[in-house]
Structures are given as C-alpha cells and as structure tokens.
C-alpha cells in the first residue's frame, strides 16, 4: 500500500472511530487486568457495561465492504471481547469463589464471636476456639491457588490482609496487656479508664469494618474517633506519677495498634505487596532454598558412590538465616519460611541417619527385635534419598510407589515386638516418627503450594 492509500485509510471515518475505540480500550485494559472483585460488584458492572458499549460501537462501524476496514474492525472487536472474557473468567474463577467463601466464613465467625455481643451491649469474651478458627481460615486462604493471575493474587492478598488484621486485634484483646488502675491513684486515671472503655468498643468496630460487617461506620470515622482519644490522653497532666504515666502510655500504644489497621482500603493495589515474588523476605527464603538444593544434590551424589558429604554446619547456618527472616506477620511468608525450614531439616535428618548407619556396630548379643528396627531404618534411609530427589506430582507412578513403600516400612515397624526391651521401644518410636516425617515431606513436595 502506497503512502497516499495509507493516508486515505487513516482519514476514513470508520478508521478514525476504530482508533478512538482503541484508545478507550487502552484506558480500560489496566482496570480490567487488575480488577479483583466479583460479578455482583459495582466496579465489575461498570467495566462490563463500558466494554459492551464499545463492542456495540465497533459492530456499528460501517466498513463499506472494504477488506482493510473489515480486518481492523474485527481486530478491535476481538480485543474488546478478550477483555470481557478476562474480566468474567477472573470474577468467576474457582479460586476467586473459594476466596469469597472463606471470607464469608470469616465474616460469620467474627459476627457471632465479636460483633453481635458488642451490638447487644456486652463485651465479648474472645475464646481460644475463635482464635484457632481464624488461624485455620488464614492457613486455608494461603493454600488457594492463583496460578500467577494478578486479580486472583490481589483478591487473596486483600482477604488475607484483613483477616490477619482481625487476628491481631482479637489476639491483642486476649492478651489483656493493659489493666485499669484504681481511680484513687490519680485524678487523671478516671479519664484514662473512660478512654479504655471506648477503646474496647473501638476494637469491635474495627473488626466489623475489616470484615465488611459495618454498614454505617467507616474507617475514616473510626480513625477520627481514635485520634481524638489520643489528643485527650496527650492533654492529661500525669507528671510526677510513673505508674499513671506508664498506664497512659499503654493505652496510647493500644490505640496506635488499632489505627495501623485502618489504612487497608488500598491494600493490594501495590504490586510489590501482593506479588510476593518481589518481596525481600521471599527472595531471602528462595536464596536459601536454592543453596539447599545444591547441597542436597551434592549429598545424594556422594551417597551414590558410597561416600558421605557432611555440610551440616552450613545447613545449620541456613536454618539460623531462615529464623532471622522477617515475615511481617504475613501468613504466606511464614508458610514459605516453614517449608524452607523443613527442606533443610530433611537433609540434616538424612545425613544423621546415614552417619548412624555407617557408624553402627551391633554387638553379638543385640536383640533380634532391635536389629529388625535398624533394618527398617536402613530401608527408610534409601527411600528418603529417593524422596529428596523426587520432583514429580502425586499422580505419578513413582510417587504412588514411594508412598506404598514408606507405608510398608511403617507396617514392618508395627510388627516389631519389643518384648519389654526399652532400647527397642525407643528405637521403634523414633523410626516410626522418622517414617512419618518422610511421608509428610513427600506430601509437602507435591501439594503444589504457591505464595
């Protein structure tokens, strides 16, 4: 096509309109690609409505039968349809629905255990069962697969952030770090005690806000209330009385602890927050895992030629490094660190057993049942070597075979009769635990967990 033809095409009314549609698509694209809500949300309906309108406008473009304009119109329609499809697929994805169901389960728990007693005029007692249930929901949320999808990652991150904030608030109440002083102590104590009562109510309001259970209140309103309480406390004259001054300080710390959870409205919009691959702590954990993989490979290679490579000091230092990684109370980072620790410990226990097997010198009077336990330990050591280098899935035949062989070793240990021999009892108990740990490690390696 010569320059004149290109200019004529670009100036054609149909092409001009398609260019305008393209600019609108470019504006809506980032909004669609980062939308993390559901189909019943206002933002979803707005995006769907605007995209559908664009699709209708593209369809109404008159191409006058020209092939070049028809091709341009078709490409524009496909781009809009792609965004509509992406929007719907993420809003109805099984993982997105799982996140929503877990969020609703959390709402029900918090409403029954915290919000309803507060609305009834009482003070709810936070039970251990509620704390444990919230922790269980957090763990289940961390296990929801996102497949790297930005909307799904954002949805999971927002749900986790709010639930972790709720966990922090209710655990703060159960710790009961601040107790009221007697009003006879100082003239300022009465006011501080009154603030304490308001702070207790603010906790329940905050939990309700975080869980979407408060229709009238807002984070901004509660933030203003708490800030005013800080101003009132700051104005109190508590000079000359260390106990009262310390009491006020504790109440101020509690208010600040609540305030830090009131800026979650934009949580999850920062890529570096919900994309944990960019998180410094995750990078440290991944660096440790990479080094563990290298050491594990060296250990297994040396074992293959009958030698024993002993990198235990370095492995221990890696455990120390992992212990120092800042998880920032993020359950995904905590889980990533836990799994990395288990990877290090698996290599250490493998080395310990190999060394014990090499150094073992059974005496002529060793009980047969004790020897039987050691025979099982020898088999478990060989199986653990296979588990350490296993890199497949649960549906693989090799996984099924390893699981069966490990289960057989547990059955073999169960068949050992200690006959009252204490040493055999202890050895068998340790061997059973060792076998169970190998099975758990194999299960962990194949559960397709992601951060």
């Amino acid at each position: 096509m010569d320059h004149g033809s290109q200019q004529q095409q670009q100036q054609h009314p149909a092409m001009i309109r398609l260019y305008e549609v393209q600019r609108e698509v470019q504006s809506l694209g980032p909004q669609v690609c980062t939308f993390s809500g559901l189909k019943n949300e206002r933002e979803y309906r707005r995006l769907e409505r605007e995209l559908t309108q664009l699709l209708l406008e593209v369809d109404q473009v008159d191409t006058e039968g020209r092939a070049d304009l028809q091709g341009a119109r078709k490409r524009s329609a496909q781009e809009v349809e792609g965004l509509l499809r992406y929007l719907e697929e993420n809003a109805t994805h099984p993982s997105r629905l799982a996140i929503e169901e877990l969020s609703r389960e959390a709402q029900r728990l918090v409403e029954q255990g915290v919000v309803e007693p507060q609305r009834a005029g009482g003070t709810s007692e936070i039970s251990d069962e509620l704390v444990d249930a919230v922790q269980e929901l957090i763990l289940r949320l961390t296990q929801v697969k996102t497949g790297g999808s930005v909307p799904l990652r954002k949805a999971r991150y927002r749900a986790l952030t709010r639930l972790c904030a709720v966990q922090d608030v209710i655990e703060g109440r159960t710790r009961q770090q601040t107790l009221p002083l007697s009003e006879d102590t100082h003239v300022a104590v009465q006011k501080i005690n009154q603030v304490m009562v308001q702070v207790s109510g603010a906790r329940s309001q905050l939990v309700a806000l975080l869980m979407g259970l408060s229709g009238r209140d807002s984070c901004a309103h509660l933030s203003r209330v708490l800030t005013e309480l800080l101003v009132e406390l700051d104005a109190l004259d508590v000079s000359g009385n260390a106990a009262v001054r310390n009491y006020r300080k504790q109440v101020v710390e509690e208010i600040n602890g609540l305030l830090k959870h009131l800026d979650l409205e934009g949580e999850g919009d920062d890529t570096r927050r919900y994309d944990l691959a960019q998180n410094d702590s995750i990078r440290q954990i991944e660096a440790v895992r990479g080094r563990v993989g290298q050491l594990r490979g060296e250990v297994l290679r040396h074992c293959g030629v009958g030698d024993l490579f002993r990198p235990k000091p370095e492995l221990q230092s890696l455990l120390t490094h992992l212990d120092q990684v800042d998880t920032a109370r993020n359950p995904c980072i905590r889980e990533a660190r836990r799994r990395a620790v288990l990877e290090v410990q698996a290599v250490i226990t493998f080395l310990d057993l190999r060394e014990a097997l090499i150094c073992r010198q059974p005496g002529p009077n060793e009980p047969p049942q004790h020897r039987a336990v050691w025979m099982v330990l020898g088999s478990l050591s060989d199986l653990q070597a296979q588990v350490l280098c296993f890199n497949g899935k649960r549906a693989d035949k090799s996984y099924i075979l390893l699981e069966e062989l490990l289960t057989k070793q547990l059955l073999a240990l169960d068949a050992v009769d200690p006959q009252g021999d204490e040493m055999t009892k202890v050895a068998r108990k340790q061997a059973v635990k060792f076998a169970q740990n190998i099975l758990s490690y194999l299960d962990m390696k194949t559960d397709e967990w992601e951060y």
Side-chain angles (χ1 to χ4, degrees):
M1 184 183 296
D2 59 30
H3 179 72
S5 300
Q6 285 183 336
Q7 191 174 32
Q8 183 181 12
Q9 181 193 38
Q10 290 171 358
Q11 293 176 349
H12 193 283
M15 189 57 70
I16 291 173
R17 182 57 193 132
L18 290 175
Y19 282 148
E20 291 172 354
V21 168
Q22 182 65 29
R23 282 195 293 270
E24 293 180 57
V25 167
Q26 289 175 351
S27 173
L28 287 172
Q31 299 174 51
V32 171
C33 292
T34 57
F35 175 74
S36 59
L38 299 165
K39 291 187 74 172
N40 60 356
E41 295 182 18
R42 180 185 299 174
E43 180 67 4
Y44 180 95
R45 293 194 295 269
R46 180 188 70 81
L47 290 169
E48 183 183 44
R49 182 175 62 252
E50 292 186 19
L51 287 169
T52 303
Q53 182 62 36
L54 284 178
L55 195 59
L56 290 172
E57 291 180 20
V58 169
D59 188 56
Q60 291 168 1
V61 170
D62 184 5
T63 63
E64 301 175 356
R66 287 174 48 175
D68 55 345
L69 295 178
Q70 288 175 345
R73 185 177 67 178
K74 182 180 179 181
R75 287 190 295 272
S76 294
Q78 288 174 338
E79 192 165 356
V80 178
E81 288 169 350
L83 286 177
L84 274 167
R85 189 162 53 250
Y86 187 84
L87 180 68
E88 182 178 17
E89 285 175 355
N90 280 295
T92 59
H93 192 282
S95 292
R96 184 64 188 88
L97 300 180
I99 293 167
E100 185 64 16
E101 180 53 39
L102 288 170
S103 297
R104 287 176 180 168
E105 194 171 335
Q107 282 183 326
R108 290 191 290 270
L109 271 175
V110 169
E111 187 162 28
Q112 293 171 7
V114 181
V115 179
E116 286 181 355
Q118 178 71 19
R119 286 173 178 166
T123 302
S124 58
E125 293 295 329
I126 305 300
S127 65
D128 291 339
E129 289 77 11
L130 176 61
V131 174
D132 292 342
V134 170
Q135 177 62 29
E136 174 65 21
L137 284 173
I138 288 173
L139 291 175
R140 287 166 63 189
L141 270 169
T142 64
Q143 294 164 359
V144 174
K145 304 294 184 293
T146 66
S149 163
V150 168
L152 295 178
R153 280 186 175 184
K154 285 183 66 175
R156 186 181 67 173
Y157 184 80
R158 288 171 68 87
L160 275 169
T161 301
R162 281 158 173 72
L163 197 51
C164 287
V166 167
Q167 182 187 45
D168 189 50
V169 172
I170 63 177
E171 285 183 352
R173 181 186 294 184
T174 58
R175 287 193 293 268
Q176 293 182 340
Q177 295 174 331
T178 306
L179 297 175
L181 286 179
S182 169
E183 294 185 0
D184 297 332
T185 308
H186 192 278
V187 291
V189 170
Q190 181 180 7
K191 181 59 182 176
I192 301 175
N193 286 344
Q194 291 172 355
V195 171
M196 276 281 291
V197 172
Q198 291 175 275
V199 170
S200 178
R203 284 199 195 95
S204 296
Q205 292 175 38
L206 174 58
V207 168
L209 282 166
L210 292 170
M211 286 288 96
L213 296 169
S214 180
R216 293 177 300 172
D217 297 327
S218 68
C219 288
H221 172 72
L222 185 56
S223 180
R224 285 194 298 272
V225 170
L226 290 171
T227 303
E228 287 170 5
L229 292 177
L230 286 176
V231 172
E232 291 178 19
L233 289 173
D234 187 58
L236 292 176
D237 180 12
V238 295
S239 58
N241 193 309
V244 178
R245 191 163 59 247
N246 186 56
Y247 178 37
R248 182 179 68 175
K249 180 182 176 183
Q250 289 178 312
V251 177
V252 167
E253 288 174 353
E254 288 196 26
I255 294 173
N256 285 328
L258 299 181
L259 279 168
K260 73 180 182 181
H261 295 305
L262 285 168
D263 60 351
L264 298 178
E265 288 306 308
E267 201 68 59
D269 291 333
D270 183 349
T271 301
R272 293 186 65 84
R273 291 186 178 182
Y274 66 76
D275 185 3
L276 288 179
Q278 306 299 322
N279 181 277
D280 287 339
S281 295
I282 288 293
R283 285 175 171 173
Q284 291 181 54
I285 293 168
E286 286 302 310
V288 169
R289 290 186 67 239
R291 182 55 184 155
V292 172
Q294 293 172 351
L295 294 174
R296 181 173 58 232
E298 286 294 314
V299 166
L300 294 173
R301 275 194 293 275
H302 280 76
C303 287
V305 295
D307 190 13
L308 186 62
F309 177 54
R310 297 176 173 86
K312 282 184 64 177
E314 184 175 357
L315 289 166
Q316 292 289 354
S317 71
L318 291 175
L319 282 177
T320 302
H321 187 137
L322 287 170
D323 187 56
Q324 295 169 347
V325 170
D326 181 17
T327 65
R329 291 184 61 85
N330 185 309
C332 291
I333 301 176
R334 279 204 301 258
E335 177 64 8
R337 184 176 67 176
R338 183 189 74 84
R339 296 167 80 89
V341 166
L342 290 177
E343 289 187 28
V344 180
Q345 290 175 338
V347 180
I348 291 175
T349 55
F350 174 75
L351 286 169
D352 287 343
L353 181 55
R354 281 281 178 171
E355 195 165 354
L357 288 165
I358 291 171
C359 298
R360 172 172 149 75
Q361 295 179 343
N365 298 323
E366 182 181 48
Q369 60 271 25
H370 196 259
R371 189 181 307 115
V373 173
W374 275 99
M375 287 181 64
V376 172
L377 284 170
S379 299
L380 286 172
S381 178
D382 293 337
L383 287 171
Q384 190 183 20
Q386 297 179 52
V387 170
L388 285 172
C389 62
F390 180 79
N391 195 28
K393 298 181 178 179
R394 292 184 185 179
D396 296 349
K397 290 182 180 179
S398 53
Y399 172 88
I400 297 170
L401 179 61
L402 277 171
E403 194 176 42
E404 288 178 356
L405 291 173
L406 287 166
T407 303
K408 283 182 180 179
Q409 299 308 314
L410 280 170
L411 293 173
L413 287 170
D414 190 55
V416 173
D417 182 4
Q419 298 179 10
D421 182 68
E422 285 301 319
M423 187 179 294
T424 301
K425 283 183 181 179
V426 172
R428 187 180 71 169
K429 183 178 180 180
Q430 291 176 336
V432 167
K433 184 177 180 181
F434 186 71
Q436 290 172 336
N437 286 342
I438 299 174
L439 274 167
S440 296
Y441 179 67
L442 178 62
D443 185 64
M444 185 194 80
K445 289 188 76 172
T446 56
D447 65 5
E448 298 180 4
W449 182 82
E450 64 172 27
Y451 51 74

